[in-house]
Amino acid sequence: MSRNFLLKLPSKVCSTMAPNIINARFSTSPPKASALPRLPVPPLKITLDRYLRSIKPFVNAEELKVTENLAAKFGSAGGVGEKLQKLLDERAKNTENWLADWWLNTAYLEFRAPVVVFSNPGLVFPRKEISSVKEQLSNASQVIAAALDFKVKLDSNEIAQEKMGPHPLDMSQYFKVLGTCRIPAEKRDKLRLPNDKDPAKHIVVVHNNQFFKVNVYGNHGGPISQGQILGQLKDCIHDSQEVAPPVGILTSEHRDNWAKAHKILSQSPQNKAVLDAIETCLFLVCIDGPPSPDERAAPNQFTSAALKMTHGGGSRGNSANRWFDKTIQFVFGPDGEVGLTYEHSPAEGQPIAVMMDHIVNYCAQRHPQQPALRYAKPQILNFEVANEVSGMIEQAKINLDKLVEDLEMYSFAFTGYGKEYIKSQKLSPDSYVQMGIQYAFFR
């Protein structure tokens, strides 16, 4: 059984997500992109020294000696290492970032295990006590309005420049958070990035497994008001009282299995249009029904919410009320749980954390808005489900339920200390918590 220990440190004292340098194309505000340095190539000797240090805990003295001899031979003058280092240096001269494509493909797009649990993080917003669907939808409309405000500020270059000390960091990942979708393919997936020439003006809302295309921009060119968003959500709920086929659960599958199902679905013009609407939307909004038995059995509210954001509870819960390939999915539970799950490949944690902070701060204030005079009503998105796909859906349910059963999670608030104490001991908060998780698993 795999075990996942989630430590929830106080938010005001712990933020361990580090900025990432992926390429030098964009920053949301000055300085110029040309001022951003390229990712350096470590000298061969430093790489080999780090490698040898990293393996010491895993090998005995004899194995270490053998490995040291192999490393010395590899790094010798005229050796294989020297030749490969020259090729790497040449690649670095001719690309914005010599590592970016390799990392994206190897760490994410070629990884064949399901994105659920294995790579998609779940993040939880502060909980709100609610007692009705009306309040659930009100919560959702507020978060949607906040996310759209973040998008407006991103497009207007109003997001603060990320820095490491005095040095500006590349912020191109910010532009991939809203509107990107991972597309399944055998052996290696693809990323469908936002179309700058035809930017998306819609989100997709899903309730009872039924998908809706919801326009959130009005004829004036800006986002519609929160009240109008709420009206759109009410229309979606009204038109989805019956549970639709659980097509969304296919996105939780092994990537090659999902690629085969996706190929079959795409053969239908109707399905192709539905997939296009989902893949191009700014983000998904999941209005969930009752929690799964696993969520109900969770030891506390922290854990229940974390499970909902991580996998949705399996086939008996709300996992089909998702599209796990979409970069951002906001999730709203019937008991006040609010959070998101995000597909990890387009961006590291920093842009997501900044967006979440923006949303929380936005929701804490009042924002007078001018309603749009005209905007399109929600459009229902119906899948055509062939018999072959129905069989794949049933298998996906079985596979996901096994994964859900195999995940053991306990989330709690640790108040003993936060990141400042860890840094005072000259340690990285991120690696400190990672080692804590590994030590707990070892024990």
Side-chain angles (χ1 to χ4, degrees):
M1 175 177 287
S2 62
R3 294 173 174 83
N4 189 325
F5 298 88
L6 180 60
L7 281 72
K8 190 174 190 292
L9 299 179
S11 58
K12 65 181 181 180
V13 295
C14 184
S15 177
T16 60
M17 298 176 179
N20 250 272
I21 303 176
I22 290 298
N23 62 45
R25 290 181 58 204
F26 300 101
S27 58
T28 64
S29 57
K32 296 178 181 179
S34 58
L36 299 175
R38 297 186 181 208
L39 183 69
V41 178
L44 179 59
K45 185 178 186 309
I46 290 178
T47 299
L48 291 175
D49 287 346
R50 286 175 175 168
Y51 170 69
L52 290 172
R53 285 204 307 275
S54 72
I55 68 165
K56 280 185 178 179
F58 306 103
V59 296
N60 58 36
E62 183 180 349
E63 291 169 332
L64 179 61
K65 186 64 177 176
V66 171
T67 307
E68 287 174 340
N69 291 337
L70 290 170
K73 182 180 179 181
F74 182 83
S76 63
V80 175
E82 191 175 85
K83 294 175 183 177
L84 293 175
Q85 184 75 12
K86 288 179 181 178
L87 292 173
L88 187 57
D89 288 334
E90 192 63 29
R91 174 181 169 87
K93 291 177 185 176
N94 298 312
T95 57
E96 291 180 333
N97 184 306
W98 59 268
L99 180 60
D101 290 343
W102 288 345
W103 175 253
L104 174 64
N105 290 332
T106 304
Y108 294 109
L109 301 184
E110 293 173 1
F111 187 61
R112 299 290 82 195
V115 294
V116 180
V117 174
F118 289 98
S119 63
N120 278 19
L123 298 94
V124 180
F125 284 108
R127 186 187 183 97
K128 290 187 176 181
E129 293 298 330
I130 64 172
S131 58
S132 67
V133 173
K134 181 180 178 180
E135 290 177 308
Q136 185 182 14
L137 298 184
S138 179
N139 276 354
S141 67
Q142 193 175 32
V143 170
I144 293 168
L148 294 175
D149 185 72
F150 179 81
K151 178 71 165 62
V152 169
K153 286 181 167 50
L154 183 63
D155 292 341
S156 304
N157 295 330
E158 296 179 42
I159 302 299
Q161 174 68 49
E162 292 287 348
K163 292 185 177 182
M164 184 177 289
H167 305 294
L169 296 176
D170 165 52
M171 295 179 68
S172 62
Q173 289 188 356
Y174 280 75
F175 296 89
K176 300 174 184 176
V177 168
L178 298 174
T180 298
C181 192
R182 181 167 171 166
I183 310 299
E186 291 189 40
K187 295 185 179 179
R188 179 194 291 173
D189 292 351
K190 302 174 183 177
L191 281 184
R192 185 171 181 177
L193 298 171
N195 184 347
D196 294 335
K197 295 181 180 179
D198 185 21
K201 302 293 184 183
H202 71 282
I203 63 175
V204 166
V205 174
V206 55
H207 172 253
N208 273 342
N209 307 341
Q210 178 64 64
F211 294 84
F212 295 85
K213 180 179 179 179
V214 178
N215 285 283
V216 287
Y217 281 73
N219 62 310
H220 62 305
I224 62 178
S225 70
Q226 182 183 332
Q228 290 172 325
I229 293 170
L230 179 57
Q232 299 277 61
L233 295 178
K234 288 179 178 178
D235 288 344
C236 293
I237 301 305
H238 179 270
D239 294 339
S240 57
Q241 293 303 301
E242 299 294 326
V243 178
V247 178
I249 207 164
L250 289 169
T251 63
S252 71
E253 261 283 34
H254 182 282
R255 300 308 295 176
D256 287 343
N257 294 345
W258 170 214
K260 292 172 185 174
H262 186 276
K263 187 175 182 179
I264 297 171
L265 282 171
S266 301
Q267 292 171 358
S268 158
Q270 179 174 320
N271 289 343
K272 197 168 184 179
V274 172
L275 290 169
D276 183 72
I278 294 172
E279 292 165 4
T280 59
C281 73
L282 292 171
F283 50 83
L284 218 74
V285 173
C286 309
I287 308 298
D288 277 3
S292 70
D294 286 325
E295 292 172 70
R296 289 197 195 96
N300 56 41
Q301 291 182 343
F302 285 153
T303 306
S304 177
L307 291 171
K308 179 176 289 294
M309 305 310 155
T310 301
H311 52 54
S315 66
R316 296 182 296 169
N318 292 278
S319 295
N321 211 49
R322 303 282 188 274
W323 199 264
F324 288 107
D325 287 352
K326 195 64 193 173
T327 303
I328 298 294
Q329 296 186 95
F330 293 108
V331 179
F332 301 90
D335 299 321
E337 314 95 315
V338 181
L340 64 86
T341 177
Y342 89 95
E343 200 287 304
H344 208 320
S345 58
E348 297 296 332
Q350 185 68 7
I352 312 299
V354 171
M355 181 183 69
M356 289 186 72
D357 285 344
H358 179 90
I359 290 171
V360 170
N361 292 334
Y362 182 98
C363 292
Q365 305 168 14
R366 289 186 175 274
H367 300 272
Q369 296 174 310
Q370 183 69 34
L373 295 178
R374 292 195 309 274
Y375 57 94
K377 291 296 185 180
Q379 174 190 347
I380 195 165
L381 302 174
N382 286 321
F383 280 102
E384 290 181 334
V385 182
N387 289 337
E388 187 175 3
V389 173
S390 294
M392 292 176 165
I393 288 173
E394 292 306 310
Q395 187 59 53
K397 289 180 182 179
I398 294 170
N399 293 342
L400 179 60
D401 287 344
K402 289 179 180 177
L403 185 57
V404 168
E405 177 65 25
D406 195 44
L407 177 66
E408 185 177 296
M409 182 182 289
Y410 183 63
S411 175
F412 60 94
F414 177 76
T415 58
Y417 53 84
K419 71 174 184 179
E420 296 305 328
Y421 170 75
I422 298 171
K423 290 197 292 187
S424 75
Q425 303 303 302
K426 302 189 185 305
L427 297 169
S428 158
D430 188 26
S431 60
Y432 183 92
V433 172
Q434 293 286 347
M435 289 302 296
I437 293 169
Q438 291 186 46
Y439 185 53
F441 182 82
F442 174 79
R443 291 183 64 187

